[in-house]
Amino acid sequence: MSGTKTIWECNSPDSLLDLSARFCITHLDTFLTSSKAEVDTLHLPTEIGEKLFQMAQEEGVDLDDKFIHIFRHLTRICRASLRESSITDRGIKYLLRHGLRELDIHNCAGLTVQTLHNINRYSDNLQNLCVGNSVQILPDYLQPEGTFSDSESEDGRDGNIYEKQGFIIKAPKLKRLCVRDLFVNRGPMFFDLLLKPLTDLNHLDLSGAFHNQGMGSFGWLLNVSQLVSLTLHNVQDVEDSLKTLCQLKNLHHVDISQCNESRGHFKQPTQFMETLVRSLPKLRSLDISGTNLAGTGGERTNTESVQCGIAGLASRVDNPLEFLGLYKTHNEASGRQHIPARSISGDSCEAQILVAGQRYLDRPTVLENILNDLFHVFRYETCQNLKQALDILLLAMERHNHEKHIQISGSASLYYVVKSESLKRDWNVKVKRKILGTLLNGMLTHREDPTMMRNGCLTLCQFQIPADVLFDYKRLVKILLHIVSEHTSEENNFIQRAGIFLLNSLACQVDGQQKMLVGSLGAMEKMLLIITDKLQQGVCDDVMETAWSTMWNVTDETPVNCERFLNGGGMYLFLKCKDRFPDKADLLRNMMGLLGNVAEVPSLRHKLMTKEFVEEFAFLLDSCSDGIEVSYNAAGVLAHMASDGPQAWAVDQPDRDHVLFRMARAINRWDLRSGRNINYRSFSPIIRLAGVSHTPECQLWAIWALANLTTVTPEKYCKLVVQEGGLSLVEEMLNENSDQVKTSLHQVKEWAGIVRSNVLKWEEQGDLNLEFDG
């Protein structure tokens, strides 16, 4: 796909220039100076300035007036592309003072006709101007001759200003002009006045132009007779342009395609085509998409000397066009044989659809149809060129972020693309990040649309969570929290389930900073609200269970989230859920795992020290729910509470000694080889309990935990025991050579011996593997 933009790039690290530019763009205070002297001494080369602008767009920075103002003296740039920007006339004026050669403004609703005046004032070097959709800077009418306004600042819309000054756009070096969706209310000389001063123009794109008084015979095109490229896509009355088009002998490319079916119906299609093609000797590219110019097919030329599927192109059989646009032509022309063109955009096969996707990226109405065609290919056929298909999907979604239908259709196809095992073998980190970043842009923009959220969640599930998304963690957490709290209706049940599943996966196996971030974005409060709603409905489903699981993950070694849980009424909900759904083993396990995290925080343990809570924990010591997990977690909570000593046991009932007795009885019943449904990132809270000599029951729970985990999963947990000082503590306990680490329970020593044996065996196995590795 040479010559076209692509998302595919090698997996090499970013250049120092890219890294520096990205840092500066995300830390704009880098450029802020404190004195005029510093302003005068700081200057960046043009190449660096343009890289900063490019990086700002890639990073989604709004190129607003403030951004432009920072760079007004810092650098000079030659090219500027402003898309989806909140920039105003004032900001554009700063930019134009750079003496731009190229300016592309698209979807910049804050611009007025004053920007046109500024373009005209600073346009001496301007060679390429594109005025895209949702940019209203050109006048929409010309006054009848006779009354002239003396000032361009009155209202800026008096059409007679332009006739008096003799131009609409003044840019003596302009070679390329693109004005999309221009609406002219009145003024028959409008297009003459627009084009006549642009004597060097060779590329003109007036896609979507409409004149309320008609386009005439398009004779105004003769003002720019040196044109080599002319695009009149979706322009009214284009059938009347034939006589004029035939006089533009330098044309290499002509686009008279339509996306309005009635406009695409020509009265004499074959004659129109034949006349046009024979009159333009340099023609290499022709687009008649959406029209009937290819004929019905019944008039095909098919003799011994000439075979041509489109009668109007019979003269080009021996000199085929480089490109022919046939997308959505009438009478299924793109599916015919013997078409004299090397490259064809159409809708009869995958290859033609992909060509159309690359050619029409700036036409959202057409692009929507193309993405629907691609979706059909992905769902019902086997896509032969996934790489190019992915290119089109991402470029379309990136360029038209606010077009909801493009985002929905694109994300639906994206799901099928990223499922492909063959594609996964080819993509790299940069490509994955491009996919995810583009998808998240669409999800954030259209967060209220359930179909977009459904497509997004399904696609996200195809990635490794959280590893693949750590680079954009915050934005993903934001959108998932929105999904689980706002898309809660019965018909959106799948979306909420998918969202909370992904959120739980995001909260698992990440470090403390990310857990704190999830909490700071309101995760705890939103999970508690979900649980409250489910309780009111009398429903315990996987959404409720996963909400508790998410809080269990987010509170792991993160005290601030534990506090949020307590402050949000979490303990009340714990009791309500336990009473309302006593037989839900997974729910109980998740709740007790969370409370184990809360109990690990010394400053919060006193909030658990109530008669009601302690009775519940003691009752759960004898639970057989989910194997030993509920009993294990209940004992863990009580062990942490007891570790603060008798003086901290602030309730008379249940009695502390009685609770400790029941705890030891429960622990001694557990099978040391029990498989576990738990994931520890650190043993530090357990190792701390193993050193609590004043309450041996705390040691009993802690040492059993270490013995069990190093027995069942030695490859995972033995290393953690060594790294966090657990082996040293066990050695001191067994050797009785420390007053700080001792125990009065024989069973504690026996299990401590098992821990030591497991770790030493694991270390020996590691040494053996090293010997085999040489």
Side-chain angles (χ1 to χ4, degrees):
M1 293 184 298
S2 59
T4 59
K5 188 177 179 184
T6 176
I7 59 102
W8 294 93
E9 56 181 313
C10 64
N11 204 27
S12 58
D14 288 342
S15 67
L16 181 58
L17 175 58
D18 283 348
L19 291 171
S20 303
R22 185 173 292 110
F23 176 85
C24 292
I25 287 303
T26 52
H27 299 80
L28 285 174
D29 54 344
T30 306
F31 298 115
L32 298 179
T33 53
S34 57
S35 68
K36 188 174 186 309
E38 288 179 310
V39 171
D40 294 336
T41 56
L42 183 59
H43 187 79
L44 297 173
T46 298
E47 295 79 5
I48 301 297
E50 291 184 350
K51 168 58 76 173
L52 290 170
F53 273 73
Q54 176 193 336
M55 187 61 70
Q57 289 232 308
E58 290 179 6
E59 293 297 306
V61 175
D62 183 9
L63 304 187
D64 56 8
D65 291 2
K66 180 181 177 183
F67 181 92
I68 303 299
H69 189 264
I70 292 173
F71 290 92
R72 71 193 189 287
H73 299 302
L74 185 63
T75 186
R76 296 191 71 81
I77 62 170
C78 297
R79 302 172 186 82
S81 177
L82 301 167
R83 287 178 169 263
E84 321 287 346
S85 169
S86 63
I87 195 168
T88 69
D89 297 325
R90 184 180 181 186
I92 281 281
K93 187 175 182 180
Y94 287 136
L95 202 53
L96 289 165
R97 285 175 175 170
H98 288 263
L100 297 176
R101 289 203 299 267
E102 298 179 14
L103 176 61
D104 181 353
I105 43 180
H106 181 91
N107 251 359
C108 300
L111 301 182
T112 71
V113 72
Q114 185 59 45
T115 283
L116 176 62
H117 299 320
N118 287 327
I119 288 173
N120 290 336
R121 186 176 293 123
Y122 300 105
S123 63
D124 288 348
N125 297 319
L126 194 62
Q127 296 179 20
N128 190 340
L129 174 62
C130 181
V131 181
N133 309 90
S134 303
V135 179
Q136 306 297 328
I137 66 171
L138 294 176
D140 63 359
Y141 68 93
L142 297 179
Q143 292 279 59
E145 292 186 22
T147 55
F148 291 101
S149 169
D150 293 327
S151 170
E152 65 183 29
S153 62
E154 286 182 8
D155 142 319
R157 295 177 64 82
D158 283 345
N160 49 26
I161 295 171
Y162 304 100
E163 293 196 50
K164 183 177 181 180
Q165 66 190 17
F167 58 83
I168 294 175
I169 296 175
K170 177 187 175 185
K173 296 180 181 179
L174 195 67
K175 296 184 181 301
R176 293 172 177 263
L177 174 64
C178 170
V179 182
R180 294 200 178 95
D181 295 334
L182 174 63
F183 176 86
V184 183
N185 193 29
R186 66 178 184 267
M189 300 302 292
F190 186 96
F191 288 106
D192 275 297
L193 196 58
L194 175 68
L195 297 178
K196 192 171 184 178
L198 306 177
T199 55
D200 284 353
L201 201 68
N202 52 41
H203 285 70
L204 176 63
D205 183 347
L206 291 175
S207 294
F210 180 87
H211 197 306
N212 210 26
Q213 296 175 307
M215 305 296 280
S217 63
F218 292 77
W220 35 268
L221 285 171
L222 298 177
N223 289 301
V224 283
S225 58
Q226 72 282 14
L227 283 178
V228 297
S229 175
L230 174 62
T231 299
L232 298 174
H233 167 67
N234 214 35
V235 172
Q236 69 179 125
D237 306 330
V238 76
E239 188 169 9
D240 300 334
S241 68
L242 180 61
K243 183 179 177 181
T244 300
L245 293 179
C246 291
Q247 298 178 62
L248 299 173
K249 301 296 184 180
N250 291 316
L251 282 173
H252 290 206
H253 170 73
V254 175
D255 183 342
I256 49 176
S257 61
Q258 297 287 334
C259 56
N260 181 310
E261 189 169 347
S262 61
R263 284 187 190 172
H265 185 80
F266 288 64
K267 294 174 184 175
Q268 296 178 303
T270 300
Q271 184 180 339
F272 186 103
M273 274 279 281
E274 188 173 357
T275 304
L276 179 66
V277 172
R278 288 183 181 276
S279 301
L280 300 178
K282 297 181 181 180
L283 190 66
R284 294 288 176 266
S285 173
L286 176 64
D287 203 325
I288 58 171
S289 298
T291 72
N292 68 339
L293 287 172
T296 62
E299 69 285 80
R300 298 176 202 173
T301 301
N302 194 350
T303 67
E304 289 184 8
S305 59
V306 177
Q307 285 189 322
C308 185
I310 298 175
L313 290 177
S315 63
R316 297 303 297 258
V317 168
D318 295 327
N319 181 23
L321 296 166
E322 294 296 326
F323 168 76
L324 178 61
L326 296 176
Y327 185 72
K328 301 296 182 187
T329 41
H330 302 185
N331 304 308
E332 301 179 341
S334 65
R336 299 176 194 167
Q337 300 295 313
H338 310 298
I339 298 175
R342 292 187 172 88
S343 175
I344 298 170
S345 72
D347 52 340
S348 66
C349 66
E350 176 190 319
Q352 291 183 355
I353 295 168
L354 292 176
V355 171
Q358 284 288 356
R359 300 283 302 200
Y360 309 137
L361 279 170
D362 284 318
R363 299 175 181 176
T365 304
V366 180
L367 199 53
E368 188 180 328
N369 287 323
I370 292 169
L371 293 182
N372 287 335
D373 289 340
L374 272 179
F375 178 74
H376 190 277
V377 171
F378 295 133
R379 188 166 187 181
Y380 301 109
E381 303 172 25
T382 301
C383 184
Q384 302 300 316
N385 196 334
L386 282 169
K387 279 191 171 184
Q388 191 176 351
L390 182 59
D391 251 338
I392 291 166
L393 291 175
L394 293 185
L395 292 172
M397 292 175 70
E398 181 183 71
R399 194 164 298 191
H400 302 284
N401 187 42
H402 291 279
E403 296 285 344
K404 183 169 75 172
H405 294 297
I406 285 178
Q407 295 299 319
I408 289 174
S409 185
S411 59
S413 294
L414 203 55
Y415 165 70
Y416 287 98
V417 174
V418 300
K419 277 177 65 178
S420 165
E421 291 301 321
S422 62
L423 188 73
K424 288 178 180 178
R425 288 194 294 270
D426 291 334
W427 69 16
N428 56 42
V429 172
K430 287 188 174 181
V431 173
K432 281 196 285 188
R433 288 185 175 185
K434 187 69 175 177
I435 295 169
L436 288 162
T438 303
L439 180 64
L440 288 184
N441 289 341
M443 292 179 74
L444 284 165
T445 302
H446 305 284
R447 60 172 67 90
E448 304 305 331
D449 187 272
T451 305
M452 185 66 198
M453 295 303 97
R454 182 180 184 276
N455 292 350
C457 287
L458 284 170
T459 304
L460 286 167
C461 287
Q462 303 305 312
F463 290 86
Q464 296 293 320
I465 306 292
D468 286 343
V469 297
L470 291 176
F471 77 100
D472 214 350
Y473 193 82
K474 184 175 182 178
R475 288 204 311 157
L476 180 52
V477 170
K478 280 184 175 180
I479 191 62
L480 292 177
L481 286 174
H482 177 82
I483 287 171
V484 300
S485 57
E486 300 299 327
H487 291 270
T488 57
S489 63
E490 188 64 35
E491 58 268 28
N492 293 338
N493 181 254
F494 171 81
I495 302 171
Q496 188 185 39
R497 283 168 50 219
I500 204 164
F501 167 79
L502 285 164
L503 189 64
N504 190 37
S505 300
L506 268 187
C508 187
Q509 297 179 359
V510 292
D511 61 31
Q513 285 297 114
Q514 284 148 334
K515 291 178 188 291
M516 283 193 284
L517 172 64
V518 175
S520 70
L521 293 173
M524 301 302 293
E525 291 79 5
K526 284 182 168 59
M527 295 302 104
L528 293 170
L529 277 174
I530 289 170
I531 293 164
T532 301
D533 288 343
K534 293 294 182 181
L535 270 171
Q536 290 173 350
Q537 297 168 25
V539 173
C540 177
D541 56 10
D542 50 0
V543 171
M544 174 185 262
E545 290 176 0
T546 310
W548 281 103
S549 179
T550 301
M551 290 195 293
W552 181 7
N553 282 317
V554 172
T555 53
D556 182 28
E557 297 185 49
T558 313
V560 64
N561 289 338
C562 295
E563 189 168 13
R564 289 186 174 109
F565 168 77
L566 294 176
N567 292 342
M571 291 304 296
Y572 169 80
L573 291 177
F574 158 70
L575 294 175
K576 285 291 183 183
C577 286
K578 180 183 172 300
D579 290 344
R580 184 72 177 79
F581 310 110
D583 300 324
K584 294 289 184 177
D586 289 344
L587 174 68
L588 196 53
R589 182 194 68 238
N590 293 344
M591 292 194 298
M592 290 307 301
L594 163 59
L595 296 184
N597 290 338
V598 175
E600 289 176 3
V601 184
S603 61
L604 299 179
R605 283 199 279 267
H606 69 279
K607 294 189 177 183
L608 303 179
M609 190 64 72
T610 70
K611 179 178 183 293
E612 189 175 22
F613 295 156
V614 175
E615 282 180 344
E616 285 293 342
F617 303 149
F619 173 77
L620 291 172
L621 286 170
D622 297 322
S623 171
C624 296
S625 180
D626 196 30
I628 67 164
E629 295 300 333
V630 172
S631 177
Y632 171 87
N633 283 319
V637 171
L638 291 168
H640 284 291
M641 294 171 71
S643 70
D644 293 330
Q647 71 283 356
W649 196 270
V651 294
D652 294 329
Q653 293 294 326
D655 175 68
R656 182 175 185 270
D657 290 339
H658 179 64
V659 169
L660 292 176
F661 168 77
R662 292 185 61 187
M663 192 170 94
R665 185 179 65 185
I667 294 170
N668 280 301
R669 282 201 302 259
W670 300 339
D671 182 356
L672 199 61
R673 295 189 173 276
S674 296
R676 307 302 309 283
N677 189 1
I678 199 164
N679 178 45
Y680 281 103
R681 292 187 307 121
S682 169
F683 278 155
S684 58
I686 295 177
I687 292 171
R688 185 191 71 82
L689 286 179
V692 179
S693 302
H694 62 71
T695 306
E697 291 82 0
C698 296
Q699 295 176 309
L700 190 70
W701 180 84
I703 296 296
W704 186 93
L706 295 178
N708 164 254
L709 294 166
T710 56
T711 297
V712 175
T713 323
E715 68 282 355
K716 181 176 181 180
Y717 289 120
C718 286
K719 182 179 180 180
L720 207 55
V721 171
V722 174
Q723 288 178 338
E724 299 194 341
L727 183 60
S728 301
L729 181 140
V730 165
E731 294 281 10
E732 289 185 27
M733 184 179 289
L734 291 172
N735 295 332
E736 299 182 355
N737 56 4
S738 169
D739 290 334
Q740 280 73 37
V741 183
K742 58 183 180 180
T743 184
S744 59
L745 292 178
H746 171 74
Q747 191 63 62
V748 172
K749 284 192 173 183
E750 183 179 326
W751 288 334
I754 292 174
V755 174
R756 179 173 63 179
S757 175
N758 288 339
V759 172
L760 293 177
K761 190 183 300 181
W762 168 79
E763 288 179 333
E764 288 173 5
Q765 186 64 41
D767 292 340
L768 190 60
N769 289 338
L770 285 174
E771 289 177 16
F772 285 138
D773 289 342

